[in-house]
Coordinates of all heavy atoms in Angstrom, one line a residue:
I2 N 198.3 147.1 163.6 CA 198.7 146.4 164.7 C 198.3 144.9 164.6 O 197.1 144.7 164.2 CB 198.2 147.0 166.0 CG1 198.8 148.4 166.2 CG2 198.4 146.2 167.2 CD1 198.4 149.2 167.4
N3 N 199.1 144.0 165.0 CA 198.9 142.6 164.9 C 199.3 142.0 166.3 O 200.4 142.4 166.7 CB 199.6 142.0 163.8 CG 199.4 140.5 163.6 OD1 198.4 140.0 164.1 ND2 200.2 139.9 162.9
A4 N 198.5 141.2 166.9 CA 198.9 140.6 168.2 C 198.9 139.1 168.1 O 198.1 138.5 167.4 CB 197.9 141.1 169.3
E5 N 199.7 138.5 168.9 CA 199.9 137.1 168.9 C 200.0 136.6 170.4 O 200.9 137.1 171.1 CB 201.2 136.8 168.2 CG 201.6 135.4 168.0 CD 202.8 135.2 167.2 OE1 202.8 135.7 166.0 OE2 203.8 134.7 167.7
Y6 N 199.2 135.7 170.8 CA 199.2 135.2 172.1 C 200.3 134.1 172.2 O 200.2 133.1 171.4 CB 197.8 134.6 172.5 CG 197.8 134.0 173.9 CD1 197.8 134.8 175.0 CD2 197.8 132.6 174.1 CE1 197.8 134.3 176.3 CE2 197.8 132.1 175.4 CZ 197.8 133.0 176.5 OH 197.8 132.4 177.8
M7 N 201.2 134.2 173.2 CA 202.3 133.2 173.3 C 202.1 132.5 174.7 O 202.4 133.1 175.7 CB 203.6 133.9 173.3 CG 203.8 134.8 172.1 SD 203.9 133.9 170.5 CE 205.5 133.1 170.7
G8 N 201.6 131.3 174.7 CA 201.4 130.6 175.9 C 200.4 129.5 175.8 O 199.5 129.6 175.0
K9 N 200.6 128.5 176.6 CA 199.6 127.5 176.7 C 198.8 127.7 177.9 O 199.0 128.6 178.7 CB 200.4 126.1 176.8 CG 201.4 125.9 175.8 CD 200.8 125.2 174.6 CE 201.8 124.8 173.6 NZ 202.2 125.7 172.6
I10 N 197.8 126.8 178.1 CA 196.9 127.0 179.2 C 197.6 127.0 180.6 O 197.3 127.8 181.5 CB 195.8 125.9 179.2 CG1 194.9 126.1 178.0 CG2 195.0 125.9 180.5 CD1 193.9 125.0 177.7
M11 N 198.6 126.1 180.7 CA 199.3 126.0 182.0 C 200.6 126.7 182.0 O 201.5 126.4 182.8 CB 199.5 124.5 182.3 CG 198.2 123.7 182.5 SD 197.1 124.4 183.7 CE 197.9 123.9 185.2
T12 N 200.9 127.6 181.1 CA 202.1 128.3 181.1 C 202.3 129.2 182.3 O 201.3 129.9 182.7 CB 202.2 129.2 179.8 OG1 202.2 128.3 178.7 CG2 203.4 130.0 179.7
L13 N 203.5 129.3 182.8 CA 203.7 130.1 184.0 C 203.8 131.6 183.6 O 203.4 132.5 184.4 CB 205.0 129.7 184.7 CG 205.0 128.3 185.3 CD1 206.4 128.0 185.9 CD2 203.9 128.3 186.4
K14 N 204.3 131.9 182.4 CA 204.5 133.3 182.0 C 203.9 133.5 180.6 O 204.6 133.7 179.6 CB 206.0 133.7 182.0 CG 206.6 133.7 183.4 CD 208.0 134.2 183.3 CE 208.1 135.7 183.1 NZ 209.4 136.2 183.1
P15 N 202.6 133.6 180.5 CA 202.0 133.8 179.2 C 202.3 135.3 178.8 O 202.5 136.1 179.7 CB 200.5 133.6 179.4 CG 200.3 133.8 180.8 CD 201.6 133.4 181.5
Q16 N 202.3 135.5 177.5 CA 202.4 136.9 177.1 C 201.8 137.1 175.7 O 201.5 136.1 175.0 CB 203.9 137.4 177.0 CG 204.8 136.6 176.0 CD 206.2 137.1 176.0 OE1 206.7 137.4 175.0 NE2 206.8 137.3 177.2
V17 N 201.5 138.3 175.4 CA 200.9 138.7 174.1 C 202.0 139.6 173.5 O 202.4 140.6 174.1 CB 199.6 139.5 174.3 CG1 199.1 140.0 172.9 CG2 198.5 138.5 174.8
K18 N 202.3 139.3 172.2 CA 203.3 140.1 171.5 C 202.5 141.0 170.5 O 201.6 140.5 169.8 CB 204.3 139.3 170.8 CG 205.2 138.5 171.7 CD 206.2 137.7 171.0 CE 207.2 137.1 172.0 NZ 208.2 136.3 171.3
V19 N 202.8 142.3 170.5 CA 202.1 143.2 169.6 C 203.1 143.7 168.5 O 204.2 144.2 168.9 CB 201.5 144.4 170.4 CG1 200.8 145.4 169.5 CG2 200.6 143.9 171.5
F20 N 202.7 143.5 167.3 CA 203.6 143.8 166.1 C 203.0 145.0 165.4 O 201.8 145.3 165.4 CB 203.7 142.6 165.2 CG 204.2 141.4 165.8 CD1 203.4 140.4 166.3 CD2 205.6 141.2 165.8 CE1 203.9 139.3 166.9 CE2 206.1 140.0 166.4 CZ 205.3 139.1 167.0
K21 N 203.9 145.7 164.7 CA 203.5 146.8 163.8 C 203.0 146.3 162.5 O 203.8 145.7 161.7 CB 204.7 147.8 163.6 CG 204.3 149.0 162.9 CD 205.5 149.9 162.7 CE 205.9 150.6 164.0 NZ 207.0 151.6 163.8
G22 N 201.7 146.4 162.2 CA 201.1 146.0 161.0 C 201.3 144.5 160.8 O 201.2 143.7 161.8
D23 N 201.5 144.0 159.6 CA 201.6 142.6 159.3 C 203.0 142.1 159.4 O 203.3 141.0 159.1 CB 201.1 142.3 157.9 CG 199.5 142.4 157.8 OD1 198.9 142.2 158.9 OD2 199.0 142.7 156.7
S24 N 203.9 143.0 159.7 CA 205.4 142.7 159.8 C 205.6 142.0 161.1 O 204.8 141.8 161.9 CB 206.2 143.9 159.7 OG 206.1 144.7 160.9
K25 N 206.9 141.5 161.2 CA 207.3 140.9 162.5 C 208.1 141.9 163.3 O 209.0 141.6 164.1 CB 208.1 139.6 162.2 CG 207.3 138.5 161.7 CD 206.3 138.1 162.8 CE 205.4 136.9 162.4 NZ 204.5 136.5 163.4
D26 N 207.8 143.2 163.1 CA 208.4 144.3 163.8 C 207.8 144.4 165.2 O 206.7 145.1 165.3 CB 208.3 145.6 163.0 CG 209.1 146.8 163.6 OD1 209.9 146.5 164.5 OD2 208.8 147.9 163.2
L27 N 208.3 143.8 166.2 CA 207.7 143.7 167.5 C 207.8 145.1 168.2 O 208.8 145.7 168.3 CB 208.5 142.7 168.4 CG 208.0 142.4 169.7 CD1 206.5 141.8 169.7 CD2 208.9 141.4 170.5
M28 N 206.6 145.5 168.6 CA 206.4 146.8 169.3 C 206.5 146.7 170.8 O 207.2 147.4 171.5 CB 205.1 147.5 168.9 CG 205.0 147.9 167.5 SD 203.4 148.5 167.0 CE 202.9 149.6 168.3
L29 N 205.7 145.8 171.3 CA 205.6 145.7 172.8 C 205.0 144.3 173.1 O 204.5 143.6 172.3 CB 204.7 146.8 173.4 CG 203.3 147.0 172.9 CD1 202.3 146.3 173.8 CD2 203.0 148.5 172.9
R30 N 205.2 144.0 174.4 CA 204.7 142.7 175.0 C 203.7 143.0 176.1 O 204.0 144.0 176.9 CB 205.8 141.8 175.5 CG 206.8 141.4 174.5 CD 207.9 140.5 175.1 NE 208.4 141.0 176.4 CZ 209.5 141.8 176.5 NH1 210.0 142.3 175.4 NH2 209.9 142.1 177.7
L31 N 202.7 142.2 176.3 CA 201.9 142.3 177.4 C 202.2 141.1 178.3 O 202.1 140.0 177.7 CB 200.4 142.3 177.1 CG 199.8 143.6 176.5 CD1 200.3 144.0 175.2 CD2 198.3 143.5 176.5
E32 N 202.5 141.3 179.5 CA 202.9 140.2 180.4 C 202.1 140.3 181.7 O 201.8 141.3 182.2 CB 204.4 140.3 180.8 CG 205.3 140.2 179.6 CD 206.7 140.5 179.9 OE1 207.0 140.9 181.1 OE2 207.6 140.2 179.1
G33 N 201.7 139.1 182.2 CA 201.1 139.1 183.5 C 199.9 138.1 183.6 O 199.9 137.1 182.9
N34 N 199.0 138.4 184.5 CA 197.8 137.5 184.7 C 196.7 138.1 183.9 O 196.0 139.0 184.3 CB 197.5 137.6 186.2 CG 196.3 136.8 186.6 OD1 195.6 136.3 185.7 ND2 196.1 136.6 187.9
F35 N 196.5 137.5 182.7 CA 195.4 138.0 181.8 C 194.0 137.6 182.3 O 193.1 138.4 182.2 CB 195.6 137.4 180.4 CG 196.9 137.8 179.8 CD1 197.8 136.9 179.4 CD2 197.3 139.1 179.7 CE1 199.0 137.2 178.8 CE2 198.5 139.5 179.2 CZ 199.4 138.6 178.7
T36 N 193.8 136.5 183.0 CA 192.5 136.1 183.5 C 192.1 137.1 184.6 O 190.9 137.4 184.8 CB 192.4 134.7 183.9 OG1 193.4 134.4 184.9 CG2 192.6 133.7 182.7
G37 N 193.1 137.5 185.4 CA 192.8 138.5 186.5 C 192.9 139.9 186.0 O 192.7 140.8 186.8
R38 N 193.2 140.1 184.7 CA 193.2 141.4 184.1 C 194.3 142.3 184.8 O 194.2 143.5 184.8 CB 191.9 142.2 184.2 CG 191.0 142.0 183.1 CD 190.3 140.7 183.1 NE 189.2 140.6 182.2 CZ 188.3 139.7 182.1 NH1 188.4 138.6 182.9 NH2 187.3 139.7 181.3
N39 N 195.4 141.7 185.3 CA 196.5 142.4 185.9 C 197.7 142.1 185.0 O 198.3 141.0 185.1 CB 196.7 141.9 187.3 CG 195.6 142.2 188.2 OD1 195.0 143.3 188.2 ND2 195.1 141.2 188.9
F40 N 198.1 143.1 184.2 CA 199.3 142.9 183.4 C 200.0 144.2 183.1 O 199.5 145.3 183.4 CB 198.9 142.2 182.1 CG 197.7 142.8 181.4 CD1 197.9 143.8 180.5 CD2 196.5 142.3 181.6 CE1 196.8 144.3 179.8 CE2 195.4 142.8 180.9 CZ 195.5 143.8 180.0
K41 N 201.2 144.1 182.5 CA 202.0 145.3 182.2 C 202.3 145.2 180.7 O 202.3 144.2 180.1 CB 203.3 145.3 183.0 CG 204.2 144.2 182.8 CD 205.4 144.3 183.7 CE 206.4 143.1 183.5 NZ 207.5 143.2 184.4
F42 N 202.6 146.4 180.2 CA 203.0 146.6 178.8 C 204.5 146.9 178.8 O 204.9 147.9 179.5 CB 202.2 147.8 178.2 CG 200.7 147.7 178.2 CD1 200.0 148.0 179.4 CD2 200.1 147.3 177.1 CE1 198.6 147.9 179.4 CE2 198.7 147.2 177.1 CZ 198.0 147.4 178.3
V43 N 205.2 146.2 178.1 CA 206.7 146.3 178.0 C 207.1 146.7 176.6 O 206.8 146.0 175.7 CB 207.4 145.0 178.5 CG1 208.9 145.1 178.5 CG2 206.8 144.6 179.9
D44 N 208.0 147.7 176.5 CA 208.5 148.1 175.2 C 209.5 146.9 174.7 O 210.3 146.5 175.5 CB 209.3 149.4 175.3 CG 209.9 149.9 174.0 OD1 210.8 149.2 173.5 OD2 209.4 150.9 173.5
A45 N 209.3 146.5 173.5 CA 210.0 145.3 173.0 C 211.5 145.6 172.8 O 212.3 144.7 172.9 CB 209.4 144.9 171.7
T46 N 211.9 146.9 172.5 CA 213.3 147.2 172.3 C 214.1 147.6 173.5 O 215.2 147.2 173.7 CB 213.4 148.3 171.2 OG1 212.7 149.4 171.6 CG2 212.9 147.8 169.9
T47 N 213.4 148.3 174.4 CA 214.1 148.8 175.6 C 213.8 148.0 176.9 O 214.5 148.2 177.9 CB 213.8 150.2 175.9 OG1 212.4 150.4 176.2 CG2 214.2 151.1 174.7
N48 N 212.8 147.2 176.8 CA 212.2 146.4 178.0 C 211.7 147.4 179.1 O 211.6 147.0 180.3 CB 213.3 145.4 178.6 CG 213.4 144.2 177.7 OD1 212.4 143.8 177.1 ND2 214.6 143.7 177.6
A49 N 211.5 148.6 178.7 CA 210.9 149.6 179.7 C 209.4 149.3 179.9 O 208.7 148.9 179.0 CB 211.1 151.0 179.2
N50 N 209.0 149.5 181.1 CA 207.5 149.3 181.4 C 206.8 150.6 180.9 O 207.2 151.7 181.3 CB 207.3 149.2 182.9 CG 207.8 147.8 183.4 OD1 207.7 146.8 182.7 ND2 208.3 147.8 184.6
L51 N 205.9 150.4 180.0 CA 205.1 151.5 179.5 C 203.8 151.8 180.2 O 203.4 152.9 180.3 CB 204.8 151.2 178.0 CG 206.0 150.9 177.1 CD1 205.5 150.5 175.7 CD2 206.9 152.1 177.0
A52 N 203.2 150.7 180.7 CA 201.9 150.9 181.4 C 201.6 149.7 182.2 O 202.2 148.6 182.0 CB 200.8 151.1 180.4
F53 N 200.7 149.9 183.2 CA 200.2 148.8 184.0 C 198.7 148.8 184.0 O 198.1 149.9 184.0 CB 200.7 148.9 185.5 CG 202.2 148.9 185.6 CD1 203.0 150.0 185.6 CD2 202.9 147.7 185.8 CE1 204.4 150.0 185.7 CE2 204.2 147.6 185.9 CZ 205.0 148.8 185.9
S54 N 198.1 147.7 184.0 CA 196.6 147.6 184.1 C 196.2 146.6 185.2 O 196.8 145.6 185.3 CB 196.1 147.2 182.7 OG 194.7 146.9 182.8
H55 N 195.2 147.0 185.9 CA 194.6 146.0 186.9 C 193.2 146.3 187.1 O 192.7 147.5 186.9 CB 195.4 146.0 188.2 CG 195.4 147.3 188.9 ND1 194.5 147.7 189.8 CD2 196.3 148.3 188.9 CE1 194.8 148.9 190.3 NE2 195.9 149.3 189.7
E56 N 192.4 145.3 187.4 CA 191.0 145.5 187.6 C 190.8 146.2 188.9 O 191.5 146.0 189.9 CB 190.3 144.1 187.6 CG 188.8 144.2 187.5 CD 188.2 142.9 187.1 OE1 188.9 141.8 187.2 OE2 187.0 142.9 186.8
K57 N 189.8 147.1 188.9 CA 189.5 147.9 190.1 C 188.9 146.9 191.2 O 188.0 146.2 190.9 CB 188.6 149.0 189.7 CG 188.5 150.1 190.8 CD 187.7 151.2 190.2 CE 187.5 152.3 191.2 NZ 186.7 153.4 190.6
H58 N 189.5 146.9 192.4 CA 189.0 146.0 193.4 C 187.7 146.4 194.1 O 187.0 145.6 194.5 CB 190.1 145.8 194.4 CG 191.3 145.2 193.9 ND1 191.4 143.9 193.5 CD2 192.6 145.6 193.7 CE1 192.5 143.6 193.0 NE2 193.3 144.6 193.1
S59 N 187.4 147.7 194.1 CA 186.2 148.2 194.7 C 185.1 148.4 193.6 O 184.5 149.4 193.6 CB 186.5 149.5 195.5 OG 186.9 150.5 194.6
N60 N 185.0 147.4 192.8 CA 184.1 147.6 191.6 C 182.7 147.1 192.0 O 182.3 146.0 191.7 CB 184.6 146.7 190.5 CG 183.8 146.9 189.2 OD1 182.8 147.6 189.2 ND2 184.2 146.1 188.2
I61 N 181.9 147.9 192.6 CA 180.5 147.6 193.0 C 179.6 147.4 191.8 O 178.8 146.5 191.8 CB 179.9 148.7 193.9 CG1 180.8 148.9 195.2 CG2 178.5 148.4 194.3 CD1 180.9 147.6 196.1
S62 N 179.8 148.2 190.8 CA 179.0 148.1 189.6 C 179.3 146.7 188.9 O 178.4 146.2 188.3 CB 179.2 149.2 188.6 OG 180.5 149.2 188.1
G63 N 180.5 146.2 189.0 CA 180.8 144.9 188.4 C 180.1 143.8 189.1 O 179.6 142.9 188.4
I64 N 179.9 143.9 190.4 CA 179.2 142.9 191.1 C 177.7 143.0 190.8 O 177.1 141.9 190.6 CB 179.5 143.1 192.7 CG1 181.0 142.8 193.0 CG2 178.6 142.2 193.5 CD1 181.4 143.3 194.4
M65 N 177.2 144.2 190.8 CA 175.8 144.3 190.6 C 175.3 144.2 189.1 O 174.3 143.6 188.8 CB 175.3 145.7 191.1 CG 175.5 145.8 192.6 SD 175.0 147.3 193.3 CE 173.2 147.2 193.1
F66 N 176.1 144.7 188.2 CA 175.7 144.8 186.8 C 176.6 144.0 185.8 O 176.3 144.0 184.6 CB 175.6 146.3 186.3 CG 174.8 147.1 187.2 CD1 175.3 148.1 188.0 CD2 173.4 147.0 187.2 CE1 174.5 148.9 188.9 CE2 172.6 147.7 188.0 CZ 173.1 148.7 188.9
G67 N 177.6 143.4 186.3 CA 178.5 142.6 185.4 C 179.5 143.4 184.6 O 180.0 142.9 183.6
S68 N 179.7 144.6 185.0 CA 180.6 145.5 184.2 C 182.0 145.4 184.8 O 182.1 145.2 186.0 CB 180.1 146.9 184.1 OG 180.0 147.5 185.4
D69 N 183.0 145.6 184.0 CA 184.4 145.6 184.5 C 184.9 147.1 184.5 O 184.7 147.9 183.7 CB 185.3 144.8 183.6 CG 184.9 143.3 183.7 OD1 184.6 142.8 184.7 OD2 184.9 142.7 182.6
E70 N 185.7 147.4 185.6 CA 186.4 148.7 185.6 C 187.9 148.4 185.8 O 188.3 147.5 186.6 CB 185.9 149.5 186.8 CG 184.5 150.0 186.6 CD 184.0 150.8 187.8 OE1 184.9 151.5 188.4 OE2 182.8 150.9 188.1
Y71 N 188.7 149.2 185.2 CA 190.2 149.0 185.3 C 190.8 150.3 185.7 O 190.3 151.4 185.5 CB 190.7 148.7 183.9 CG 190.1 147.4 183.4 CD1 189.0 147.4 182.5 CD2 190.7 146.2 183.7 CE1 188.4 146.2 182.1 CE2 190.1 145.0 183.3 CZ 189.0 145.0 182.4 OH 188.4 143.9 182.0
V72 N 192.0 150.1 186.2 CA 193.0 151.2 186.5 C 194.1 151.0 185.5 O 194.7 149.9 185.5 CB 193.4 151.3 187.9 CG1 194.5 152.3 188.1 CG2 192.3 151.5 188.9
I73 N 194.4 152.0 184.7 CA 195.6 151.9 183.8 C 196.5 153.1 184.1 O 196.1 154.2 184.0 CB 195.1 152.0 182.3 CG1 194.1 150.9 182.0 CG2 196.3 151.9 181.4 CD1 193.5 151.0 180.6
E74 N 197.7 152.7 184.5 CA 198.8 153.7 184.7 C 199.7 153.7 183.5 O 200.3 152.7 183.2 CB 199.5 153.3 186.0 CG 198.6 153.3 187.2 CD 199.4 152.7 188.4 OE1 200.6 153.0 188.6 OE2 198.8 152.0 189.2
V75 N 199.8 154.8 182.8 CA 200.6 155.0 181.6 C 201.7 155.9 181.8 O 201.5 157.0 182.4 CB 199.7 155.5 180.4 CG1 200.5 155.6 179.1 CG2 198.5 154.5 180.2
A76 N 202.9 155.5 181.4 CA 204.1 156.3 181.5 C 204.0 157.6 180.7 O 203.3 157.6 179.7 CB 205.3 155.5 181.1
P77 N 204.7 158.6 181.0 CA 204.7 159.8 180.2 C 205.1 159.6 178.7 O 206.0 158.7 178.5 CB 205.6 160.8 180.9 CG 205.7 160.3 182.3 CD 205.5 158.8 182.2
H78 N 204.5 160.2 177.8 CA 204.9 160.2 176.4 C 204.6 158.8 175.7 O 205.1 158.5 174.7 CB 206.4 160.5 176.2 CG 206.8 161.8 176.8 ND1 206.3 163.0 176.5 CD2 207.6 162.0 177.9 CE1 206.8 163.9 177.3 NE2 207.6 163.3 178.2
V79 N 203.7 158.1 176.4 CA 203.2 156.8 175.8 C 201.8 157.0 175.3 O 201.0 157.7 176.0 CB 203.3 155.6 176.9 CG1 202.7 154.4 176.3 CG2 204.7 155.4 177.3
D80 N 201.4 156.4 174.2 CA 200.1 156.5 173.6 C 199.1 155.8 174.5 O 198.9 154.6 174.5 CB 200.1 155.9 172.2 CG 198.8 156.1 171.5 OD1 197.8 156.5 172.1 OD2 198.8 155.8 170.3
S81 N 198.4 156.6 175.3 CA 197.4 156.1 176.3 C 196.2 155.5 175.6 O 195.6 154.5 176.1 CB 197.0 157.1 177.3 OG 196.4 158.3 176.7
A82 N 195.8 156.0 174.4 CA 194.7 155.5 173.7 C 195.0 154.1 173.2 O 194.1 153.2 173.3 CB 194.3 156.4 172.5
L83 N 196.2 153.8 172.8 CA 196.6 152.5 172.3 C 196.6 151.5 173.5 O 196.1 150.4 173.4 CB 198.0 152.5 171.7 CG 198.6 151.2 171.3 CD1 197.8 150.4 170.3 CD2 200.1 151.3 170.8
M84 N 197.1 152.0 174.7 CA 197.1 151.1 175.9 C 195.7 150.8 176.3 O 195.4 149.6 176.6 CB 197.8 151.8 177.0 CG 199.3 152.2 176.8 SD 200.3 150.8 176.5 CE 200.8 151.2 174.8
M85 N 194.8 151.7 176.2 CA 193.4 151.5 176.6 C 192.7 150.5 175.6 O 192.0 149.6 175.9 CB 192.6 152.8 176.6 CG 191.2 152.6 177.0 SD 191.1 152.0 178.7 CE 189.5 151.3 178.7
A86 N 193.0 150.7 174.3 CA 192.5 149.8 173.2 C 193.0 148.4 173.5 O 192.2 147.4 173.3 CB 192.9 150.3 171.9
L87 N 194.2 148.2 173.8 CA 194.8 146.9 174.1 C 194.1 146.2 175.3 O 193.8 145.0 175.3 CB 196.3 146.9 174.2 CG 197.0 147.2 172.9 CD1 198.5 147.5 173.2 CD2 196.9 146.1 171.9
V88 N 193.8 147.0 176.3 CA 193.2 146.5 177.5 C 191.7 146.0 177.1 O 191.3 144.9 177.5 CB 193.1 147.5 178.6 CG1 192.1 147.1 179.7 CG2 194.5 147.8 179.2
M89 N 191.1 146.8 176.3 CA 189.7 146.4 175.8 C 189.8 145.1 175.0 O 188.9 144.3 175.1 CB 189.1 147.6 175.1 CG 188.8 148.8 176.0 SD 188.3 150.3 175.2 CE 186.8 149.7 174.3
V90 N 190.8 145.0 174.1 CA 190.9 143.8 173.3 C 191.2 142.6 174.2 O 190.5 141.5 174.1 CB 192.1 144.0 172.3 CG1 192.4 142.6 171.7 CG2 191.6 144.9 171.2
M91 N 192.0 142.8 175.2 CA 192.3 141.7 176.2 C 191.1 141.3 176.9 O 190.8 140.1 177.2 CB 193.4 142.0 177.1 CG 194.8 142.2 176.5 SD 195.3 140.7 175.6 CE 195.5 139.6 177.0
D92 N 190.3 142.3 177.3 CA 189.0 142.0 178.1 C 188.1 141.2 177.2 O 187.4 140.2 177.7 CB 188.4 143.3 178.5 CG 187.2 143.1 179.4 OD1 187.3 142.4 180.4 OD2 186.1 143.6 179.1
T93 N 187.9 141.6 175.9 CA 187.0 140.9 175.0 C 187.5 139.5 174.8 O 186.7 138.5 174.8 CB 187.0 141.6 173.7 OG1 186.5 143.0 173.9 CG2 186.0 141.0 172.7
M94 N 188.8 139.3 174.6 CA 189.4 137.9 174.5 C 189.1 137.1 175.7 O 188.7 135.9 175.5 CB 190.9 138.0 174.2 CG 191.3 138.5 172.9 SD 193.0 138.8 172.7 CE 193.7 137.2 173.1
Q95 N 189.2 137.6 176.9 CA 188.9 136.8 178.1 C 187.5 136.5 178.2 O 187.1 135.4 178.6 CB 189.4 137.6 179.3 CG 190.9 137.6 179.5 CD 191.5 136.2 179.5 OE1 191.0 135.3 180.2 NE2 192.6 136.0 178.8
D96 N 186.6 137.5 177.9 CA 185.2 137.2 177.9 C 184.8 136.1 176.9 O 184.0 135.3 177.3 CB 184.4 138.5 177.7 CG 184.4 139.5 178.8 OD1 184.9 139.1 179.9 OD2 184.0 140.6 178.6
N97 N 185.4 136.2 175.7 CA 185.1 135.1 174.7 C 185.5 133.8 175.2 O 184.9 132.8 174.9 CB 185.7 135.5 173.4 CG 185.0 136.7 172.7 OD1 183.9 137.0 173.0 ND2 185.7 137.3 171.8
N98 N 186.7 133.7 175.9 CA 187.2 132.4 176.4 C 186.4 131.9 177.5 O 186.4 130.7 177.7 CB 188.6 132.6 176.8 CG 189.6 132.8 175.7 OD1 189.3 132.4 174.5 ND2 190.8 133.3 176.0
H99 N 185.6 132.7 178.2 CA 184.8 132.3 179.3 C 183.3 132.3 179.0 O 182.5 132.2 179.9 CB 185.1 133.1 180.5 CG 186.5 132.9 181.1 ND1 187.6 133.7 180.7 CD2 187.1 131.9 181.8 CE1 188.7 133.3 181.3 NE2 188.4 132.2 182.0
G100 N 183.0 132.4 177.7 CA 181.6 132.3 177.3 C 180.7 133.4 177.7 O 179.5 133.2 177.9
K101 N 181.2 134.6 177.9 CA 180.3 135.7 178.3 C 179.7 136.3 177.1 O 180.2 136.3 176.0 CB 181.1 136.8 179.0 CG 181.5 136.4 180.4 CD 182.1 137.5 181.2 CE 182.4 137.1 182.6 NZ 183.1 138.2 183.3

């Protein structure tokens, strides 16, 4: 899997494109508010929504201990482990961008 961030700092619709291996065979796109950790996974060929991710709003441990919690809703027959791994990668990228 290879991912590419498409967007500038002030872009209205940033997205991450996920490719199969080193090829340009586009698998899916992540679209939404990455800094707010609220985004959706979209199939590149059918434009079907595969999953949604958002930060848990009642995250008491995040306030007290600095940890993040997410809710990920994954459509049936979609690789939930891949969706979770991509959320973790996005979280790490955001933390690195904000100096955590």
